Amino acid sequence: MEQLINQRVKDIEISGIRKFFNMVSHIDDLISFTIGQPDFPTPEHVKKAGIAAIEQNFTSYTHNAGTIELREAACNFVNKKYGLSYKPESEVIVTAGASEAIDIAFRTILVEGSEVILPGPIYPGYEPIIKMMGATPVHVDIRENQFRFTLEMIKPFITEKTRCIVLPYPSNPTGVSLSESELREIAEYLKNKDIFILADEIYSELTYDQPHKSIASFLKGQTIVINGLSKSHSMTGWRIGFLFAPEVISRHILKVHQYNISCATSIAQKAAFAAVTKGIDDALVMKKEYLKRREFVYKRLTAMGLDAVKPDGAFYFFVKIPEPIQLNSFDFALKLVQETKVAVVPGSAFSEYGEGYFRLSFACSMETLEIGLNRIEHYIKSSI
């Protein structure tokens, strides 16, 4: 029966992040710097709200877009944090994580033959959906621009087929973000062009050197903002995301969402309400600790002579493999596991433009970071 499977589905693969993680996760005493999973527990008041939802039998379908109280709270959250203004009745959809939000956005706006411009390297969750829609991902090599996806880099790739530009900031895997002036420049150029912006801002609460700024501040009418609680409130398993867009766009995305999952989990929505109201600043405690870790890891990596751009946000370093080590990124990561029991993600998981790098997550304790980095340093010194 396999010959009857949709060819576009057969042509895509499991994420390189998960593929490598699944390959090595069984190893005893492994130190893993792989999955983008906060090492903090979900805040107590959020967990209690979820428990209360179960005890109060709040276990039925909600409105397709989510409960109105959560939509109001989510709109208040992005307004207070980022100055964005959306109508809770019609311009926000509560989704099953940011991943579903990306999926339904692409399935709504893309058509056969259209093109989507993305930076490279980039998180692997966009390209498969683009391809399943019969559209073409167009990667822009940003490695020589300190991983900054600026207008100057974007302009040469815009064609009459361009339907969408993906701006994932702060970035996974590089942690790099864009400044307000860089975003404004992109917005001014794209204004009134028939091109959507997909602004994936899931790491917006984890920025270190400057406040997060959304391109929707300058180009709301063409922008679909993706956000959620997985990273900001350590709620990865609760699967709550938010999609913000003008009503003329969101009302069509809502149809796709409705036929996809009907609604986000009612219990998780109650927990999410607590997160964006009582817990509006829950990320600050985590961010303070991540900042310490960032400084520690950067100091260690540079002391090893490794080339890494200090991240503006998120909790990743994207590190260049030293040239004397004649291995591709997958073989490097595999050998690192075999010889040191430290797991990182091969850069090739983040498009062809990630080859020659590896991603290191610092979403783990200082003790774990120190042990793992000591092992990496020993491996690097013995291999060069």
Side-chain angles (χ1 to χ4, degrees), residues 330-375:
F330 184 88
D331 289 341
F332 170 85
L334 188 59
K335 197 166 185 181
L336 188 66
V337 168
Q338 292 169 342
E339 297 195 10
T340 71
K341 291 192 174 183
V342 174
V344 296
V345 180
S348 56
F350 304 98
S351 85
E352 63 182 290
Y353 299 108
E355 184 53 69
Y357 294 80
F358 65 88
R359 192 192 75 175
L360 183 154
S361 168
F362 54 90
C364 50
S365 71
M366 287 289 283
E367 180 184 6
T368 300
L369 286 170
E370 184 166 11
I371 295 170
L373 288 167
N374 285 342
R375 294 181 186 181

Tab-separated table of all heavy atoms in Angstrom, residues 330-375:
chain	number	residue	atom	x	y	z
A	330	PHE	N	27.070	15.914	10.771
A	330	PHE	CA	26.447	14.716	11.340
A	330	PHE	C	27.516	13.791	11.923
A	330	PHE	O	27.381	13.295	13.048
A	330	PHE	CB	25.630	13.969	10.282
A	330	PHE	CG	24.892	12.784	10.828
A	330	PHE	CD1	23.614	12.924	11.351
A	330	PHE	CD2	25.474	11.519	10.845
A	330	PHE	CE1	22.934	11.837	11.881
A	330	PHE	CE2	24.801	10.425	11.372
A	330	PHE	CZ	23.523	10.587	11.886
A	331	ASP	N	28.577	13.553	11.160
A	331	ASP	CA	29.638	12.659	11.643
A	331	ASP	C	30.351	13.255	12.852
A	331	ASP	O	30.753	12.529	13.768
A	331	ASP	CB	30.635	12.376	10.523
A	331	ASP	CG	30.046	11.479	9.432
A	331	ASP	OD1	29.035	10.806	9.717
A	331	ASP	OD2	30.590	11.466	8.321
A	332	PHE	N	30.498	14.584	12.853
A	332	PHE	CA	31.105	15.252	14.012
A	332	PHE	C	30.261	15.005	15.257
A	332	PHE	O	30.778	14.627	16.314
A	332	PHE	CB	31.234	16.749	13.747
A	332	PHE	CG	31.610	17.555	14.957
A	332	PHE	CD1	32.945	17.694	15.328
A	332	PHE	CD2	30.637	18.174	15.734
A	332	PHE	CE1	33.306	18.421	16.461
A	332	PHE	CE2	30.979	18.909	16.869
A	332	PHE	CZ	32.318	19.028	17.231
A	333	ALA	N	28.948	15.235	15.132
A	333	ALA	CA	28.058	15.070	16.283
A	333	ALA	C	28.020	13.615	16.745
A	333	ALA	O	27.997	13.334	17.951
A	333	ALA	CB	26.653	15.553	15.934
A	334	LEU	N	28.044	12.706	15.794
A	334	LEU	CA	28.015	11.286	16.143
A	334	LEU	C	29.306	10.871	16.859
A	334	LEU	O	29.267	10.156	17.876
A	334	LEU	CB	27.822	10.442	14.883
A	334	LEU	CG	27.578	8.944	15.090
A	334	LEU	CD1	26.329	8.708	15.933
A	334	LEU	CD2	27.446	8.239	13.746
A	335	LYS	N	30.427	11.338	16.365
A	335	LYS	CA	31.694	10.995	16.995
A	335	LYS	C	31.803	11.625	18.384
A	335	LYS	O	32.361	11.027	19.311
A	335	LYS	CB	32.863	11.449	16.113
A	335	LYS	CG	34.183	10.795	16.479
A	335	LYS	CD	35.225	11.004	15.395
A	335	LYS	CE	36.505	10.238	15.745
A	335	LYS	NZ	37.561	10.436	14.735
A	336	LEU	N	31.255	12.827	18.526
A	336	LEU	CA	31.255	13.495	19.830
A	336	LEU	C	30.492	12.657	20.855
A	336	LEU	O	30.923	12.493	21.996
A	336	LEU	CB	30.643	14.886	19.704
A	336	LEU	CG	30.728	15.796	20.936
A	336	LEU	CD1	32.171	16.173	21.239
A	336	LEU	CD2	29.880	17.052	20.727
A	337	VAL	N	29.358	12.113	20.435
A	337	VAL	CA	28.575	11.238	21.317
A	337	VAL	C	29.361	9.982	21.661
A	337	VAL	O	29.449	9.569	22.824
A	337	VAL	CB	27.228	10.862	20.660
A	337	VAL	CG1	26.555	9.740	21.436
A	337	VAL	CG2	26.308	12.061	20.594
A	338	GLN	N	29.926	9.374	20.649
A	338	GLN	CA	30.623	8.102	20.852
A	338	GLN	C	31.842	8.242	21.756
A	338	GLN	O	32.126	7.358	22.572
A	338	GLN	CB	31.043	7.538	19.489
A	338	GLN	CG	29.876	7.099	18.621
A	338	GLN	CD	30.297	6.788	17.187
A	338	GLN	OE1	31.369	7.204	16.735
A	338	GLN	NE2	29.464	6.045	16.473
A	339	GLU	N	32.539	9.351	21.650
A	339	GLU	CA	33.801	9.504	22.379
A	339	GLU	C	33.662	10.272	23.692
A	339	GLU	O	34.512	10.110	24.586
A	339	GLU	CB	34.838	10.194	21.486
A	339	GLU	CG	35.193	9.381	20.247
A	339	GLU	CD	36.447	9.865	19.558
A	339	GLU	OE1	37.162	10.712	20.141
A	339	GLU	OE2	36.708	9.404	18.432
A	340	THR	N	32.610	11.088	23.826
A	340	THR	CA	32.508	11.917	25.044
A	340	THR	C	31.163	11.815	25.750
A	340	THR	O	30.992	12.360	26.834
A	340	THR	CB	32.743	13.401	24.712
A	340	THR	OG1	31.621	13.912	23.983
A	340	THR	CG2	34.003	13.602	23.905
A	341	LYS	N	30.185	11.154	25.102
A	341	LYS	CA	28.823	11.080	25.629
A	341	LYS	C	28.206	12.480	25.828
A	341	LYS	O	27.516	12.749	26.813
A	341	LYS	CB	28.770	10.289	26.943
A	341	LYS	CG	29.037	8.803	26.760
A	341	LYS	CD	28.685	8.011	28.010
A	341	LYS	CE	28.827	6.522	27.768
A	341	LYS	NZ	28.417	5.723	28.955
A	342	VAL	N	28.491	13.347	24.860
A	342	VAL	CA	27.836	14.657	24.787
A	342	VAL	C	27.129	14.746	23.441
A	342	VAL	O	27.735	14.470	22.396
A	342	VAL	CB	28.851	15.815	24.921
A	342	VAL	CG1	28.157	17.162	24.694
A	342	VAL	CG2	29.499	15.801	26.293
A	343	ALA	N	25.848	15.123	23.471
A	343	ALA	CA	25.062	15.202	22.244
A	343	ALA	C	24.751	16.651	21.900
A	343	ALA	O	24.260	17.411	22.738
A	343	ALA	CB	23.764	14.407	22.381
A	344	VAL	N	25.058	17.026	20.663
A	344	VAL	CA	24.658	18.304	20.093
A	344	VAL	C	23.892	17.995	18.804
A	344	VAL	O	23.851	16.854	18.365
A	344	VAL	CB	25.880	19.201	19.802
A	344	VAL	CG1	26.599	19.575	21.094
A	344	VAL	CG2	26.842	18.527	18.824
A	345	VAL	N	23.289	19.007	18.205
A	345	VAL	CA	22.526	18.776	16.971
A	345	VAL	C	23.396	19.116	15.770
A	345	VAL	O	23.964	20.221	15.711
A	345	VAL	CB	21.238	19.620	16.941
A	345	VAL	CG1	20.471	19.354	15.642
A	345	VAL	CG2	20.363	19.305	18.142
A	346	PRO	N	23.518	18.221	14.804
A	346	PRO	CA	24.278	18.539	13.590
A	346	PRO	C	23.685	19.751	12.879
A	346	PRO	O	22.459	19.870	12.753
A	346	PRO	CB	24.121	17.279	12.735
A	346	PRO	CG	23.692	16.204	13.668
A	346	PRO	CD	22.932	16.869	14.764
A	347	GLY	N	24.543	20.624	12.405
A	347	GLY	CA	24.058	21.811	11.714
A	347	GLY	C	23.255	21.509	10.466
A	347	GLY	O	22.393	22.294	10.059
A	348	SER	N	23.499	20.349	9.858
A	348	SER	CA	22.769	19.977	8.639
A	348	SER	C	21.276	19.805	8.888
A	348	SER	O	20.494	19.772	7.934
A	348	SER	CB	23.348	18.680	8.065
A	348	SER	OG	23.329	17.639	9.033
A	349	ALA	N	20.874	19.704	10.157
A	349	ALA	CA	19.439	19.617	10.473
A	349	ALA	C	18.728	20.922	10.175
A	349	ALA	O	17.493	20.959	10.108
A	349	ALA	CB	19.247	19.258	11.946
A	350	PHE	N	19.501	21.991	9.958
A	350	PHE	CA	18.919	23.325	9.788
A	350	PHE	C	19.117	23.851	8.370
A	350	PHE	O	19.363	25.028	8.161
A	350	PHE	CB	19.536	24.278	10.814
A	350	PHE	CG	19.371	23.787	12.230
A	350	PHE	CD1	20.406	23.103	12.867
A	350	PHE	CD2	18.181	23.963	12.918
A	350	PHE	CE1	20.256	22.621	14.154
A	350	PHE	CE2	18.020	23.482	14.204
A	350	PHE	CZ	19.058	22.812	14.822
A	351	SER	N	19.008	22.966	7.424
A	351	SER	CA	19.155	23.228	5.985
A	351	SER	C	20.616	23.050	5.580
A	351	SER	O	21.513	22.923	6.432
A	351	SER	CB	18.668	24.624	5.576
A	351	SER	OG	19.671	25.620	5.761
A	352	GLU	N	20.860	23.059	4.299
A	352	GLU	CA	22.227	22.874	3.795
A	352	GLU	C	23.167	23.967	4.298
A	352	GLU	O	24.386	23.789	4.364
A	352	GLU	CB	22.234	22.859	2.268
A	352	GLU	CG	21.781	24.164	1.637
A	352	GLU	CD	21.760	24.107	0.126
A	352	GLU	OE1	22.852	24.060	-0.480
A	352	GLU	OE2	20.648	24.122	-0.451
A	353	TYR	N	22.592	25.116	4.675
A	353	TYR	CA	23.420	26.230	5.129
A	353	TYR	C	23.836	26.084	6.592
A	353	TYR	O	24.549	26.935	7.128
A	353	TYR	CB	22.689	27.552	4.906
A	353	TYR	CG	22.397	27.784	3.445
A	353	TYR	CD1	21.098	27.681	2.945
A	353	TYR	CD2	23.429	28.055	2.552
A	353	TYR	CE1	20.839	27.861	1.592
A	353	TYR	CE2	23.180	28.232	1.198
A	353	TYR	CZ	21.884	28.136	0.723
A	353	TYR	OH	21.633	28.294	-0.610
A	354	GLY	N	23.388	25.010	7.220
A	354	GLY	CA	23.842	24.709	8.567
A	354	GLY	C	25.008	23.738	8.585
A	354	GLY	O	25.598	23.493	9.637
A	355	GLU	N	25.328	23.181	7.422
A	355	GLU	CA	26.449	22.255	7.351
A	355	GLU	C	27.730	22.957	7.789
A	355	GLU	O	27.987	24.107	7.448
A	355	GLU	CB	26.604	21.711	5.931
A	355	GLU	CG	27.695	20.663	5.771
A	355	GLU	CD	27.544	19.513	6.756
A	355	GLU	OE1	26.595	18.729	6.614
A	355	GLU	OE2	28.365	19.426	7.692
A	356	GLY	N	28.532	22.219	8.558
A	356	GLY	CA	29.773	22.795	9.065
A	356	GLY	C	29.626	23.410	10.444
A	356	GLY	O	30.589	23.940	11.000
A	357	TYR	N	28.412	23.318	11.023
A	357	TYR	CA	28.141	23.869	12.344
A	357	TYR	C	27.478	22.803	13.219
A	357	TYR	O	27.053	21.749	12.730
A	357	TYR	CB	27.183	25.066	12.253
A	357	TYR	CG	27.736	26.273	11.545
A	357	TYR	CD1	27.770	26.337	10.151
A	357	TYR	CD2	28.198	27.378	12.259
A	357	TYR	CE1	28.269	27.456	9.492
A	357	TYR	CE2	28.680	28.501	11.609
A	357	TYR	CZ	28.716	28.534	10.232
A	357	TYR	OH	29.203	29.651	9.582
A	358	PHE	N	27.350	23.111	14.503
A	358	PHE	CA	26.497	22.319	15.387
A	358	PHE	C	25.754	23.268	16.314
A	358	PHE	O	26.221	24.369	16.616
A	358	PHE	CB	27.297	21.281	16.185
A	358	PHE	CG	28.298	21.831	17.171
A	358	PHE	CD1	27.935	22.136	18.489
A	358	PHE	CD2	29.626	22.033	16.798
A	358	PHE	CE1	28.852	22.620	19.399
A	358	PHE	CE2	30.559	22.531	17.714
A	358	PHE	CZ	30.166	22.826	19.015
A	359	ARG	N	24.553	22.845	16.734
A	359	ARG	CA	23.762	23.651	17.662
A	359	ARG	C	23.888	23.099	19.060
A	359	ARG	O	23.735	21.897	19.268
A	359	ARG	CB	22.277	23.663	17.265
A	359	ARG	CG	21.463	24.713	18.035
A	359	ARG	CD	19.979	24.519	17.857
A	359	ARG	NE	19.476	23.382	18.641
A	359	ARG	CZ	18.189	23.043	18.734
A	359	ARG	NH1	17.278	23.739	18.091
A	359	ARG	NH2	17.826	21.996	19.447
A	360	LEU	N	24.141	23.992	20.006
A	360	LEU	CA	24.257	23.628	21.408
A	360	LEU	C	23.196	24.378	22.202
A	360	LEU	O	23.162	25.612	22.174
A	360	LEU	CB	25.659	23.977	21.920
A	360	LEU	CG	26.029	23.605	23.357
A	360	LEU	CD1	27.549	23.439	23.469
A	360	LEU	CD2	25.572	24.662	24.375
A	361	SER	N	22.326	23.649	22.876
A	361	SER	CA	21.299	24.269	23.722
A	361	SER	C	21.850	24.439	25.139
A	361	SER	O	22.419	23.508	25.703
A	361	SER	CB	20.039	23.394	23.764
A	361	SER	OG	19.165	23.843	24.781
A	362	PHE	N	21.664	25.659	25.689
A	362	PHE	CA	22.077	25.859	27.077
A	362	PHE	C	20.887	25.894	28.026
A	362	PHE	O	20.926	26.499	29.093
A	362	PHE	CB	22.982	27.096	27.240
A	362	PHE	CG	22.449	28.404	26.715
A	362	PHE	CD1	21.710	29.253	27.526
A	362	PHE	CD2	22.730	28.808	25.417
A	362	PHE	CE1	21.259	30.481	27.070
A	362	PHE	CE2	22.287	30.035	24.950
A	362	PHE	CZ	21.537	30.879	25.771
A	363	ALA	N	19.835	25.180	27.633
A	363	ALA	CA	18.668	25.021	28.514
A	363	ALA	C	18.904	23.835	29.445
A	363	ALA	O	18.178	22.836	29.428
A	363	ALA	CB	17.395	24.820	27.687
A	364	CYS	N	19.947	23.939	30.253
A	364	CYS	CA	20.275	22.919	31.240
A	364	CYS	C	21.117	23.576	32.320
A	364	CYS	O	21.552	24.717	32.175
A	364	CYS	CB	21.005	21.733	30.602
A	364	CYS	SG	22.391	22.196	29.579
A	365	SER	N	21.346	22.875	33.409
A	365	SER	CA	21.997	23.468	34.573
A	365	SER	C	23.438	23.867	34.284
A	365	SER	O	24.086	23.337	33.371
A	365	SER	CB	21.965	22.480	35.742
A	365	SER	OG	22.848	21.395	35.492
A	366	MET	N	23.954	24.787	35.098
A	366	MET	CA	25.349	25.218	34.974
A	366	MET	C	26.290	24.034	35.177
A	366	MET	O	27.320	23.921	34.505
A	366	MET	CB	25.636	26.318	35.988
A	366	MET	CG	25.003	27.655	35.649
A	366	MET	SD	25.765	28.472	34.230
A	366	MET	CE	27.258	29.103	34.972
A	367	GLU	N	25.943	23.157	36.116
A	367	GLU	CA	26.782	21.985	36.367
A	367	GLU	C	26.870	21.107	35.123
A	367	GLU	O	27.952	20.649	34.738
A	367	GLU	CB	26.223	21.179	37.541
A	367	GLU	CG	27.036	19.944	37.874
A	367	GLU	CD	26.426	19.108	38.982
A	367	GLU	OE1	25.296	19.426	39.420
A	367	GLU	OE2	27.073	18.138	39.412
A	368	THR	N	25.706	20.879	34.485
A	368	THR	CA	25.679	20.065	33.275
A	368	THR	C	26.457	20.738	32.153
A	368	THR	O	27.208	20.083	31.411
A	368	THR	CB	24.227	19.807	32.837
A	368	THR	OG1	23.527	19.123	33.875
A	368	THR	CG2	24.174	18.970	31.568
A	369	LEU	N	26.291	22.042	32.025
A	369	LEU	CA	27.019	22.787	30.997
A	369	LEU	C	28.528	22.665	31.210
A	369	LEU	O	29.286	22.450	30.255
A	369	LEU	CB	26.601	24.258	31.014
A	369	LEU	CG	25.229	24.577	30.435
A	369	LEU	CD1	24.844	26.021	30.749
A	369	LEU	CD2	25.194	24.332	28.927
A	370	GLU	N	28.965	22.803	32.448
A	370	GLU	CA	30.401	22.750	32.721
A	370	GLU	C	30.976	21.378	32.383
A	370	GLU	O	32.025	21.276	31.732
A	370	GLU	CB	30.671	23.087	34.185
A	370	GLU	CG	32.157	23.147	34.511
A	370	GLU	CD	32.442	23.799	35.852
A	370	GLU	OE1	31.493	24.029	36.624
A	370	GLU	OE2	33.631	24.068	36.111
A	371	ILE	N	30.285	20.325	32.799
A	371	ILE	CA	30.771	18.965	32.517
A	371	ILE	C	30.797	18.719	31.009
A	371	ILE	O	31.789	18.231	30.455
A	371	ILE	CB	29.891	17.914	33.217
A	371	ILE	CG1	30.006	18.047	34.738
A	371	ILE	CG2	30.284	16.508	32.769
A	371	ILE	CD1	28.999	17.203	35.499
A	372	GLY	N	29.691	19.081	30.338
A	372	GLY	CA	29.602	18.847	28.900
A	372	GLY	C	30.623	19.640	28.107
A	372	GLY	O	31.244	19.123	27.169
A	373	LEU	N	30.828	20.905	28.483
A	373	LEU	CA	31.800	21.738	27.771
A	373	LEU	C	33.226	21.267	28.023
A	373	LEU	O	34.079	21.360	27.128
A	373	LEU	CB	31.625	23.195	28.178
A	373	LEU	CG	30.363	23.862	27.622
A	373	LEU	CD1	30.101	25.192	28.315
A	373	LEU	CD2	30.471	24.056	26.115
A	374	ASN	N	33.492	20.748	29.217
A	374	ASN	CA	34.814	20.167	29.475
A	374	ASN	C	35.076	18.998	28.532
A	374	ASN	O	36.183	18.846	27.993
A	374	ASN	CB	34.918	19.692	30.927
A	374	ASN	CG	35.075	20.835	31.916
A	374	ASN	OD1	35.428	21.945	31.540
A	374	ASN	ND2	34.788	20.560	33.186
A	375	ARG	N	34.063	18.190	28.336
A	375	ARG	CA	34.212	17.041	27.435
A	375	ARG	C	34.400	17.490	25.990
A	375	ARG	O	35.222	16.921	25.252
A	375	ARG	CB	32.986	16.126	27.550
A	375	ARG	CG	32.831	15.456	28.904
A	375	ARG	CD	31.605	14.560	28.913
A	375	ARG	NE	31.350	14.009	30.232
A	375	ARG	CZ	30.325	13.173	30.506
A	375	ARG	NH1	29.484	12.821	29.535
A	375	ARG	NH2	30.146	12.724	31.723
